[in-house]
């Protein structure tokens, strides 16, 4: 738990400097700004190892109750990410919600064992299966809110972790040996390290003066839940259309969560269709792979872009997850990269804290940046390359990518290598993500 003391933080103006010096505040080792999946995982990892941590989440997150309908926003959790969530003690609450009124637990996770990807412009197809790489599953499709709710429930059981739910950060303050935050309710907190887990538009990143590079794809991802005539067979399906990939992701209740990447104009048209028109357009785009679309839930859309922070760290500041990097969702790697960020940063901070070293010192924080930046940039480049490769209408490119899909599908060892890499294996992993 944090300690109440005179706040060591200050702002740029003399008046506010005097106010900050006089105002009492609560002092922590680490303040994590942003209580989404990545920020909550980092806070739990640090709090479990005795660091005093504050986790600030602007949006209130009510406990998820059994019987609530599934949400469309989901993540494809890799085997390595599942291991991190299990090590944090959150996996049992993710896998099954407590039953209403003491009834039987309700499953909220779909383990997918197969993945099929094909090109709408040719015969190219590739199929992955868990048995081929000796794993029980290729991954798990889980609602984002289920993961976040489970992590916040776990956070509530950790004595060294204070959660500030439903309160926004209204300002940041700079001091000699600590940084601070001002909350909308008037409270002030300070810490030796501030971590930005506050999303792609990170206010902490902007305040720290860390620039980003990247570009928009002039696309939007339309998401919703659908039910089809045929079962999904615990398979992730993805068809590469000229306008962008269309994915059908299997869910625990037999429905699918769809992610349809398309141009802004097409997204507007798709969102404006009535339910029958949308079901028909979606079925056509998916070549009716699972039969007619029988039902669809509420639709939403969000813009797609590539973005990367020029630096992950500054003195007493670190970035994780979307605050540091944003990738195209065609392979569902965003949250998996973010959880690896959280695991790597936690490993470093726990080690330095145990050795009595300054956890906010830039020399130590650069180890985290070196550990994660190259891996994230490589994944961004790969996803950007796939997006451009499968978006090209040029005949030689269409021929080459279809031939490549067919050839890779026929070469078992190469295909299995790709699958294991996507699952997170074959790279240096933080302690939280390693086996056993």
């Amino acid at each position: 738990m944090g300690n109440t003391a005179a706040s060591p933080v200050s702002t740029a103006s003399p008046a506010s400097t005097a106010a900050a010096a006089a105002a009492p505040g609560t002092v922590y080792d680490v303040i994590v700004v942003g209580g989404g999946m990545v920020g909550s995982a980092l806070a739990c990892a640090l709090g479990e190892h005795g660091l005093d941590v504050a986790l600030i989440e602007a949006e209130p997150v009510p406990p998820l109750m059994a019987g609530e309908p599934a949400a469309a926003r989901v993540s494809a959790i890799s085997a390595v990410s599942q291991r991190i969530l299990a090590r944090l003690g959150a996996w049992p609450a993710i896998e099954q919600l407590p039953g209403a009124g003491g009834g039987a637990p309700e499953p909220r996770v779909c383990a997918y064992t197969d993945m099929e990807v094909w090109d709408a412009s040719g015969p190219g197809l590739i199929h992955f299966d868990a048995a081929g790489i000796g794993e029980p599953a290729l991954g798990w499709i889980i609602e984002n809110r289920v993961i976040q709710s489970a992590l916040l429930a776990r956070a509530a059981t950790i004595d060294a972790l204070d959660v500030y739910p439903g309160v926004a950060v209204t300002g940041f303050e700079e001091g000699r040996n600590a940084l601070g935050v001002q909350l909308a309710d008037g409270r002030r907190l300070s810490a030796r390290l501030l971590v930005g887990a506050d999303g792609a538009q990170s206010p902490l990143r902007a305040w720290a003066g860390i620039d980003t590079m990247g570009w928009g794809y002039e696309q939007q991802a339309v998401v919703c839940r659908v039910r089809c005539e045929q079962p999904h067979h615990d398979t992730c399906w993805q068809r590469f259309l000229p306008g962008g990939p269309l994915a059908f992701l299997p869910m625990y209740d037999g429905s699918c969560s769809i992610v349809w990447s398309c141009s802004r104009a097409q997204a507007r048209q798709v969102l404006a269709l009535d339910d029958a028109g949308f079901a028909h357009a979606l079925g056509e785009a998916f070549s009716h792979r699972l039969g007619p679309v029988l039902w669809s839930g509420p639709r939403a859309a969000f813009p797609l872009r590539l973005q990367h922070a020029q630096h992950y760290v500054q003195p007493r500041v670190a970035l994780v997850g979307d605050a540091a990097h944003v990738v195209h969702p065609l392979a569902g790697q965003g949250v998996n990269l973010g959880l690896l960020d959280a695991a790597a940063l936690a490993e470093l901070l726990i080690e330095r804290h145990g050795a009595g070293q300054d956890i906010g010192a830039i020399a130590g924080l650069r180890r985290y940046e070196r550990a994660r930046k190259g891996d994230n940039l490589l994944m961004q480049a790969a996803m950007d390359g796939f997006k451009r490769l499968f978006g090209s209408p040029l005949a030689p490119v269409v021929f080459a990518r279809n031939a490549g899909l067919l050839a890779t599908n026929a070469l078992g060892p190469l295909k299995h290598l790709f699958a294991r890499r996507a699952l997170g294996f074959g790279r240096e992993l933080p302690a939280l993500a390693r086996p056993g």
Side-chain angles (χ1 to χ4, degrees):
M1 305 289 286
N3 300 311
T4 300
S7 172
V9 297
S10 63
T11 58
S13 69
S16 58
T17 299
T26 306
V27 181
Y28 293 93
D29 294 315
V30 181
I31 296 174
V32 180
V33 182
M37 295 180 283
V38 174
S40 297
L42 174 63
C44 287
L46 297 176
E48 280 185 342
H49 285 81
L51 282 81
D52 283 331
V53 182
L55 175 63
I56 304 170
E57 171 51 43
E59 297 295 328
V61 183
L64 190 59
M65 306 300 292
E68 290 189 32
R73 293 297 298 271
V74 303
S75 292
I77 295 298
S78 71
V80 168
S81 292
Q82 187 274 339
R83 192 178 294 150
I84 292 171
L85 295 168
R87 292 278 180 84
L88 294 175
W91 186 252
I94 291 172
E95 201 167 25
Q96 290 191 325
L97 292 178
E106 177 186 320
R108 297 294 291 224
V109 170
C110 181
Y112 64 95
T113 57
D114 294 78
M115 178 183 294
E116 192 157 304
V117 179
W118 72 103
D119 191 344
S121 301
L125 178 147
I126 190 167
H127 179 268
F128 299 98
D129 64 273
I133 59 171
E135 295 292 331
L138 292 176
W140 293 262
I141 303 298
I142 313 172
E143 298 159 77
N144 292 356
R145 63 175 184 164
V146 168
I147 300 172
Q148 183 185 23
S149 180
L151 284 166
L152 290 174
R154 176 72 183 104
T157 70
I158 299 174
D159 290 339
L161 172 54
D162 290 336
V163 181
Y164 293 78
V167 59
V169 173
T170 57
F172 301 92
E173 302 173 322
E174 186 173 356
R176 187 181 308 165
N177 297 312
L179 298 180
V181 297
Q182 305 168 16
L183 303 183
D185 60 10
R187 286 178 289 184
R188 311 171 89 94
L189 315 176
S190 66
R192 290 186 290 161
L193 177 68
L194 297 187
V195 178
D198 47 350
Q201 304 303 318
S202 170
L204 175 55
R205 185 188 64 222
W207 174 79
I210 299 175
D211 292 329
T212 63
M213 55 78 64
W215 48 83
Y217 286 116
E218 302 301 320
Q219 286 184 323
Q220 289 197 316
V222 176
V223 298
C224 74
R225 281 177 61 231
V226 301
R227 289 189 182 275
C228 299
E229 182 181 65
Q230 299 173 20
H232 54 55
H233 302 295
D234 297 331
T235 299
C236 286
W237 311 83
Q238 184 160 253
R239 189 185 195 204
F240 280 97
L241 301 161
L246 168 60
F248 275 56
L249 308 176
M251 296 192 69
Y252 69 94
D253 62 354
S255 67
C256 290
S257 175
I258 68 111
V259 184
W260 190 353
S261 301
C262 47
S263 68
R264 292 176 179 173
Q266 186 183 8
R268 286 194 297 270
Q269 294 171 358
V270 165
L271 293 172
L273 292 171
D274 62 20
D275 288 348
F278 175 73
H280 175 75
L282 180 62
E284 288 288 311
F286 194 54
S287 68
H288 302 288
R289 197 58 172 260
L290 299 178
V293 176
L294 304 178
W295 169 87
S296 63
R299 285 161 255 160
F302 57 92
L304 300 180
R305 63 177 291 103
L306 179 148
Q307 180 174 289
H308 199 271
Q310 292 187 356
H311 304 285
Y312 288 12
V313 298
Q314 283 195 353
R316 309 210 175 280
V317 173
L319 305 177
V320 294
D322 285 356
H325 46 79
V326 178
V327 301
H328 196 287
L330 66 87
Q333 289 299 311
V335 70
N336 295 304
L337 295 177
L339 287 172
L340 282 169
D341 291 346
L345 182 57
E347 181 176 7
L348 169 70
L349 298 180
I350 292 164
E351 175 190 318
R352 291 183 66 81
H353 180 261
Q357 298 172 324
D358 184 356
I359 60 173
I362 187 64
L365 292 175
R366 284 198 177 111
R367 281 178 47 198
Y368 157 68
E369 182 174 73
R370 289 194 297 270
R372 294 299 306 143
K373 195 171 186 179
D375 194 34
N376 291 332
L377 281 169
L378 182 62
M379 184 62 72
Q380 278 191 320
M383 295 305 99
D384 186 64
F386 276 123
K387 186 268 176 190
R388 297 180 188 282
L389 173 66
F390 282 91
S392 174
L394 297 176
V397 177
V398 172
F399 174 81
R401 73 187 182 221
N402 277 271
L405 283 173
L406 292 170
T408 304
N409 194 52
L411 295 172
L414 179 60
K415 181 171 69 170
H416 298 156
L417 178 63
F418 285 161
R420 292 189 65 81
R421 180 71 183 184
L423 287 174
F425 300 122
R427 65 180 82 169
E428 183 63 29
L429 296 174
L432 270 178
R434 292 174 197 153

